[in-house]
Amino acid sequence: MLFGAFEVKTIIEPFRIKTVEPIRMTTHREREAILRVARFNLFGVHAVDVLIDLLTDSGTSAMSSEQWAAIMRGDESYAGARSFFRLYDRVCEMTGFKEILPTHQGRASERILFDTLCSEGLIVPNNCHFDTTRANVEQSGAQAVDLVIDACKDPASRHPFKGNMDVDRLRALIEKEGRERIPLCMVTITNNSGGGQPVSLENLRSVREVCDEFEIPFFLDACRFAENAYFIKQREPGMSDRSIPEIVRETFDLADGATISAKKDGLVNIGGLLLFRDRDLALQARNNLILTEGFPTYGGLAGRDLDAMAQGFVEIVDEHYLAYRIRSVAYLGEKMVAGGVPIMEPPGGHAVYIDAGRFCPHIPPTQFPGQAVVVGLYRHAGIRAVEIGSVMFGGGEHDAPDMELVRLAIPRRVYTQSHIDYVAEAVVELYENRDSLKGLRIVEEPPALRHFTAAFEEC
Ligand SMILES: *Cc1c(COP(=O)(O)O)cnc(C)c1O
């Protein structure tokens, strides 16, 4: 990247720090006791006892001074607040959508969308449904089908757009089931469940063509639309000279609507959006919104939250920010690979995924290798990550997942390069001592979503 005539080699954080939040190092002995109290489930560890928290990138962003200023401008009027119109103008300018419903977070947008369009016996295709998306589709009585390309499931494949939808399988599904059973088609950008991998504009255009042919509405799950646009600019032929706002706009122009969790690329701690092209659909959704979230000009949020979101959507399309963001995640991935750690390649936009099956081959899936890495990483270095494998997806009637993964999600604008260096060092050291990692067994679990509250013992 060029700043004037000076060629920058290290991509620095494009901000300086105005407010600090201390983090606390614990001793090895303290962490041992904390793990036992939490019964080896990191969701049970208090945040105060975590040094570097990579549990999620959702709602964990640092807000800017302009966002904090926007918080003070928040208009708390019940109806027609200035804050709503500032958000409306920004989202309309960025996406072209005119029907804009605020919600308290992404899953509320999903629930309202699927309540409006879905019912028993219908099918919703997606590249990969995120877990709340799948749950909300199923809650409506419909069936959620994932149609991502095969490269997504190969951790070693360096396909530039591993989040792409398999368009042939989409067409085959529609021809087999009949278009009247498919109330909408979705694509998730970036593909969170598939490792934060991007979707190309070319792929989105092909999905649009199939949807047009069968007259099926096309919606985006657009939580990370800006990260996706940056990957398009970097990787898609002919895109390098286009601006991020142009690519973002073309992305949204291809869709009939979108759900967005603003806790990701909205750079806020709470908030969501539901967007429509069609006025009648928006009207139905608004009636549901009033019933369950709030009046259509605040949708379950305070006015100040709407203003912070409006400003977040200005800052997120800044190319210097995105260059730093994507680079810092790739940097962590590179350091881990240099240390021999098996990860999913290439790193996605918001997280690095460790391939725990290969990290500790001496631990069988029945003893949760991913959980062993998560516990080991906290014990060794006070870092909190999350297991995405047999703990999260296994149990009961579920099939064992394809891969045993550990996700290190990077909060936006929160950690510096030295924090990331520390994380990479810790992971590499843990890998060098991987023989000491122990498998776990579940001693207590709830009937659903067991990863949040299950209790474990070390084998
Ligand atoms: C986070 C997320 C959601 C749900 O949003 P919440 O704000 O957590 O309710 C939906 N889809 C994707 C792809 C997400 O990453």
Side-chain angles (χ1 to χ4, degrees), residues 146-366:
D146 291 345
L147 299 176
V148 72
I149 57 170
D150 286 338
C152 177
K153 291 162 202 153
D154 173 5
S157 159
R158 293 194 61 98
H159 190 296
F161 293 101
K162 279 174 109 169
N164 281 358
M165 172 87 102
D166 186 330
V167 182
D168 293 335
R169 283 172 67 207
L170 174 64
R171 176 183 290 280
L173 177 85
I174 301 169
E175 284 171 351
K176 175 160 172 269
E177 304 293 347
R179 72 140 315 274
E180 57 299 334
R181 286 190 66 198
I182 302 183
L184 76 160
C185 170
M186 288 194 97
V187 171
T188 305
I189 55 171
T190 57
N191 182 16
N192 186 1
S193 306
Q197 300 293 334
V199 178
S200 70
L201 264 182
E202 185 194 22
N203 187 253
L204 292 171
R205 279 192 213 104
S206 308
V207 173
R208 172 82 248 180
E209 275 170 29
V210 173
C211 287
D212 279 343
E213 185 182 329
F214 294 96
E215 293 178 34
I216 293 170
F218 174 33
F219 277 70
L220 293 168
D221 178 343
C223 297
R224 297 178 182 79
F225 65 87
E227 290 171 7
N228 199 72
Y230 188 76
F231 280 119
I232 288 174
K233 183 175 168 99
Q234 288 219 302
R235 297 183 183 172
E236 192 158 347
M239 292 293 153
S240 59
D241 291 336
R242 297 184 65 192
S243 72
I244 296 296
E246 267 171 20
I247 297 172
V248 165
R249 181 56 189 268
E250 184 172 346
T251 303
F252 283 108
D253 278 349
L254 286 165
D256 297 305
T259 56
I260 298 181
S261 167
K263 298 171 71 172
K264 286 73 176 248
D265 276 353
L267 291 173
V268 289
N269 307 116
I270 195 75
L273 290 171
L274 178 55
L275 311 176
F276 292 100
R277 200 81 61 200
D278 186 89
R279 285 187 62 182
D280 293 335
L281 267 184
L283 198 67
Q284 286 176 50
R286 244 178 227 116
N287 290 333
N288 189 321
L289 184 80
I290 292 178
L291 206 64
T292 57
E293 287 281 289
F295 189 73
T297 59
Y298 75 84
L301 293 168
R304 63 181 80 100
D305 297 326
L306 304 174
D307 259 307
M309 236 202 287
Q311 179 60 24
F313 285 131
V314 171
E315 294 171 13
I316 197 66
V317 294
D318 174 40
E319 212 176 308
H320 292 312
Y321 161 75
L322 286 168
Y324 139 77
R325 168 72 176 162
I326 302 301
R327 179 66 202 131
S328 59
V329 176
Y331 172 82
L332 174 59
E334 284 164 17
K335 287 208 135 187
M336 283 166 40
V337 169
V341 177
I343 64 164
M344 255 177 87
E345 297 255 33
H350 67 286
V352 177
Y353 291 68
I354 296 171
D355 187 344
R358 284 197 284 149
F359 194 101
C360 32
H362 62 291
I363 301 176
T366 50

Side-chain angles (χ1 to χ4, degrees), residues 396-433:
E397 295 145 28
H398 298 276
D399 296 332
D402 295 334
M403 285 187 278
E404 300 292 336
L405 301 174
V406 170
R407 185 181 76 180
L408 306 176
I410 314 298
R412 293 169 181 77
R413 306 191 293 205
V414 170
Y415 293 117
T416 63
Q417 184 170 338
S418 54
H419 290 123
I420 297 295
D421 285 337
Y422 172 87
V423 171
E425 278 163 23
V427 173
V428 171
E429 278 170 17
L430 190 69
Y431 184 63
E432 285 162 359
N433 293 296

Side-chain angles (χ1 to χ4, degrees), residues 51-64:
L51 182 67
I52 308 245
D53 204 344
L54 307 182
L55 190 66
T56 177
D57 67 318
S58 177
T60 52
S61 300
M63 291 212 295
S64 67

